[in-house]
Amino acid sequence: MENKRILIVGAKGQIGSELLDYLRAKHGTDNVIGADLRTLHINGPTEVLDVMDFSAMRAVVEKYGITEIYLLAALLSATAEKKPEFAWELNMKGLFNALNLAKEGLIKKIFWPSSIAVFGPGTPQENTPQNTIMDPNTVYGISKLAGERWCEYYHNKFGVDVRSLRYPGLISWKSQPGGGTTDYAVEIFYEAIQNGNYTCFLDKNRELPMMYMSDAIRATVQLMEAPAEKLNIWSSYNLSGISFTPEQIAMAIADRINNFSIDYKPDFRDKIAQSWPSSINDDIAKADWNWKSEFNLDAIVKDMITNLTNKLQLS
Ligand code: NAD
Ligand code: SER
């Protein structure tokens, strides 16, 4: 078996922290290096690294003999709207640094996540296809769409093996989300368990594509392990789990937490969500690398409440 040395940049974030545990269990702790701008207080090899610093990234890659990078450092949709120029700079520079390390032959493979935010108000909202109108109206969405184009360009022009998924909103109990529009679907569990009430920043009928973290991690690793010749998409694959509205998830939580109540105070994030699809067609991911999601809404709610309750009692 090929000896992988993996670098996760953004390893302290919502996805990175879980991906790190998953990949360390699979490939061994010493073969998976966690890097972040913030210090990681975990066992095993870690680095404090700014993804915007090309020479620092190259030094880490050389130090550990890295073969694959999972590039997760970015500003998410809601935070990016508050710092548009910085978000563009961070989201693009980190990607270019990784792409150029691969172009130089220093690393063999990159994973870089895109998002449902690449779509916009002109996109068909239901069962959104892989290839369609893409007119994102957020700085985050613009950076993700540009990133997708650059990934495909580096693949076609320089043979770089860079793989990508358009993640839906991700729901997790181990790690907290980092400033996105879909964060409500995690916050709601904390508030339901701790206070019995949640004030939602999206409209009660705002339906969005979502996915449980374990499905997202599985999809990521499955795509990275798929034979290159099976892949037809070198920009970013549509990926679908489930879709629900705030009202629907609140009802599912209320079935398990007595007297849980929700009220709605939509803010600027509701406008962002309004421009995104309500459901995603991922037929190409299913056909190319056998993708299949496992968690439906009921399974997510059950798992979240059980694990988050335990976690909050222990903390
Ligand atoms: P997050 O905000 O939780 O984590 C990002 C991590 O990157 C943080 O730990 C942060 O400290 C680190 N970071 C920020 N700037 C850095 C820098 N200059 N150098 C090194 N590290 C830096 O984000 P996440 O939710 O884990 O998302 C990871 C990726 O997945 C992002 O590209 C995001 O756009 C994408 N994505 C996430 C979701 C989701 O629902 N979580 C959905 C779609 C796409
Ligand atoms: N979950 C992300 C966000 O809301 C979507 O990319 O920003």
Side-chain angles (χ1 to χ4, degrees):
M1 203 168 92
E2 180 202 359
N3 194 17
K4 291 186 189 197
R5 297 279 280 172
I6 297 170
L7 175 66
I8 302 178
V9 189
K12 201 165 184 167
Q14 187 191 12
I15 301 170
S17 53
E18 296 212 26
L19 186 64
L20 180 115
D21 288 345
Y22 186 95
L23 290 174
R24 281 186 168 180
K26 199 172 164 73
H27 300 289
T29 299
D30 288 346
N31 289 321
V32 182
I33 290 82
D36 203 290
L37 203 51
R38 300 179 288 161
T39 306
L40 284 145
H41 301 287
I42 53 169
N43 293 328
T46 62
E47 292 284 336
V48 172
L49 175 68
D50 183 349
V51 76
M52 292 165 82
D53 183 340
F54 184 69
S55 15
M57 240 170 116
R58 174 202 281 272
V60 170
V61 163
E62 287 175 341
K63 175 177 169 185
Y64 294 97
I66 297 298
T67 57
E68 295 183 8
I69 294 183
Y70 288 72
L71 180 63
L72 304 174
L75 280 200
L76 275 80
S77 59
T79 316
E81 286 307 294
K82 294 179 181 159
K83 303 177 188 171
E85 283 185 36
F86 176 71
W88 171 259
E89 213 181 318
L90 170 64
N91 293 4
M92 301 312 297
K93 184 95 174 98
L95 176 59
F96 275 120
N97 284 346
L99 288 172
N100 285 328
L101 288 170
K103 184 183 161 194
E104 284 183 32
L106 277 174
I107 52 169
K108 289 188 181 150
K109 221 185 247 188
I110 301 169
F111 177 80
W112 172 82
S114 184
S115 160
I116 52 168
V118 291
F119 300 112
T123 304
Q125 274 200 317
E126 276 178 41
N127 201 27
T128 302
Q130 175 74 35
N131 296 306
T132 182
I133 296 167
M134 298 169 92
D135 56 352
N137 59 8
T138 61
V139 64
Y140 176 70
I142 294 169
S143 74
K144 290 295 186 189
L145 182 53
E148 287 190 7
R149 297 288 88 227
W150 279 111
C151 287
E152 193 182 82
Y153 182 87
Y154 268 68
H155 175 76
N156 291 341
K157 193 102 178 168
F158 308 119
V160 169
D161 189 339
V162 52
R163 304 181 182 196
S164 178
L165 295 169
R166 291 173 180 156
Y167 287 137
L170 300 182
I171 302 173
S172 60
W173 61 269
K174 288 185 191 162
S175 48
Q176 299 244 26
T181 301
T182 56
D183 292 13
Y184 94 86
V186 178
E187 282 176 17
I188 193 170
F189 287 98
Y190 281 84
E191 295 300 316
I193 292 165
Q194 292 176 311
N195 304 318
N197 174 262
Y198 178 59
T199 301
C200 183
F201 56 75
L202 297 188
D203 183 271
K204 67 178 183 178
N205 295 316
R206 188 71 60 222
E207 185 178 15
L208 286 173
M210 298 279 186
M211 178 174 282
Y212 206 39
M213 186 60 83
S214 51
D215 272 344
I217 300 286
R218 202 166 43 80
T220 305
V221 175
Q222 217 173 306
L223 171 65
M224 284 296 272
E225 289 179 353
E229 59 275 15
K230 295 267 184 208
L231 304 183
N232 288 295
I233 305 292
W234 290 95
S235 52
S236 188
Y237 276 92
N238 270 13
L239 183 73
S240 175
I242 53 166
S243 288
F244 55 78
T245 64
E247 189 173 44
Q248 286 166 336
I249 192 172
M251 280 165 60
I253 292 172
D255 282 345
R256 293 176 187 274
I257 297 182
N258 286 339
N259 302 322
F260 170 62
S261 64
I262 183 164
D263 52 286
Y264 300 91
K265 212 170 157 190
D267 65 19
F268 73 99
R269 289 168 284 188
D270 189 54
K271 289 265 182 319
I272 296 177
Q274 201 176 358
S275 73
W276 291 353
S278 53
S279 59
I280 298 287
N281 181 307
D282 62 356
D283 285 351
I284 304 180
K286 286 177 179 140
D288 283 6
W289 43 278
N290 298 321
W291 165 242
K292 192 175 184 306
S293 73
E294 284 176 358
F295 279 79
N296 63 21
L297 181 57
D298 194 51
I300 292 175
V301 169
K302 187 170 172 225
D303 205 67
M304 280 295 285
I305 292 176
T306 307
N307 285 301
L308 200 52
T309 305
N310 286 340
K311 181 177 140 179
L312 293 171
Q313 276 165 358
L314 290 174
S315 61

